[in-house]
Amino acid sequence: MENNQEKKQTVLSLIQPTGTPTLGNYLGALKNWKNMSDGYDCFFGVADLHSITVRPNPADLRRRTTEMYALLLALGLDPHKNTVFVQSHVPAHAQLAWILDCYTQFGEASRMTQFKDKSEKHPDNVNVGLFAYPVLMASDILLYQTDFVPIGIDQKQHLEITRNIADRFNGLYGNTFKLPEPFIGKSGAKIMSLQEPTKKMSKSDTNPKAYISVLDDDNTIMKKIKSAVTDSEARVYRKDGKDGVNNLMGIYSCCTGKTDEEIEKEFDGKGYGDFKTAVGEAVCDELRPLREEYNRLISDKAYLTECMKEGAEKASYTAERTLRKAMKKVGFLQI
Ligand code: TYM
């Protein structure tokens, strides 16, 4: 009878511990992680290896890794049912990344827009790690024979290169890696800056009014939404060019589940004041439980460490199997 039980499909995604995530990270990725966590075999992780392409202070990196881990648990991910881990605790990620580096062309890695953007932003530190970043991401994904990767739209190109690398390797050595699909939500895929709504919302923005951090208190959230840039039309509807309003509609839709039509009807004849109040309240309601649970968890370091150990063990078990398979195919001597 047990043989009839279908194996669950695998979901994997990671987030960098580069400060408190924004509403963009949350609506674009983390909320979907939580939504998928029951129906799939899930691996969720803190991408600390990725975050040293810029040079964080070591004590900050350690603190932020713990904070990000606590935040993942605060989402409601069950660390015993899902695998919630820290990337550097699973050595297979860096090991497979080296192998995949040798199956990635310089040209295709050079075409990654995030690499181009980041090297323009930090011309004094264009390190090889920044260049090889998408290959490490490919390693993260391929190690777990992942079916779906819940991400925001900015990571889509990295999913494409992952598939190309996997396909090339499989073509040379026979089926080794599953080809993953991105999972990109309809309305939260790209949450924009509240101050410059043609730009992605980002925690590295120098203007804190441009983003909402998932740990902002209700008062701060309301203030930031109230000061969001809109336009002079004072009518709530979706249209190309109404970037600020489109963004707030997307945020409202993600938090309430309402469609564009429902939102347009709800605010028919009302101005942006009412609309912004409703959006602000919806965001507060969405983030409040996360903040409360986070505050509870972050003070329990012993519990977090215990969960990290369990996560590392479970992740390593699956990752090692794929790593050994790839090493054998390439021709490394087994002893
Ligand atoms: P990171 O840490 O920059 O962002 C984490 C997730 O948040 C999404 N995101 C957004 N979604 C909507 N609107 C926004 N404004 C917004 N900003 C960020 C990102 O798309 C991402 O899903 N390289 C990855 C981390 C990573 C990873 C992986 C992801 C490492 N290995 C393997 C998936 C699979 C990154 O830097 O995401």
Side-chain angles (χ1 to χ4, degrees), residues 158-170:
H158 291 159
L159 242 286
E160 281 157 15
I161 196 173
T162 298
R163 288 173 61 91
N164 291 343
I165 296 168
D167 198 38
R168 183 173 305 134
F169 195 98
N170 289 347

Side-chain angles (χ1 to χ4, degrees), residues 12-18 22-30 33 45 47 50 68 87 114 118 133 136-138 140-141 149-156 158-159 188-193 199-203:
L12 169 136
S13 201
L14 273 62
I15 182 165
Q16 290 195 66
T18 42
T22 66
L23 184 65
N25 296 124
Y26 176 78
L27 296 178
L30 300 177
W33 296 15
H50 276 102
M68 185 60 85
Q87 188 187 28
Q114 204 164 78
K118 290 198 173 165
Y133 179 112
L136 178 58
M137 196 166 147
D140 300 339
I141 298 167
V149 186
I151 42 171
I153 219 152
D154 61 326
Q155 296 298 321
K156 192 163 173 245
H158 291 159
L159 242 286
K190 193 171 185 188
I191 301 295
M192 311 306 273
S193 154
K199 249 177 55 181
K200 182 182 88 167
M201 180 181 284
S202 159
K203 56 194 159 218

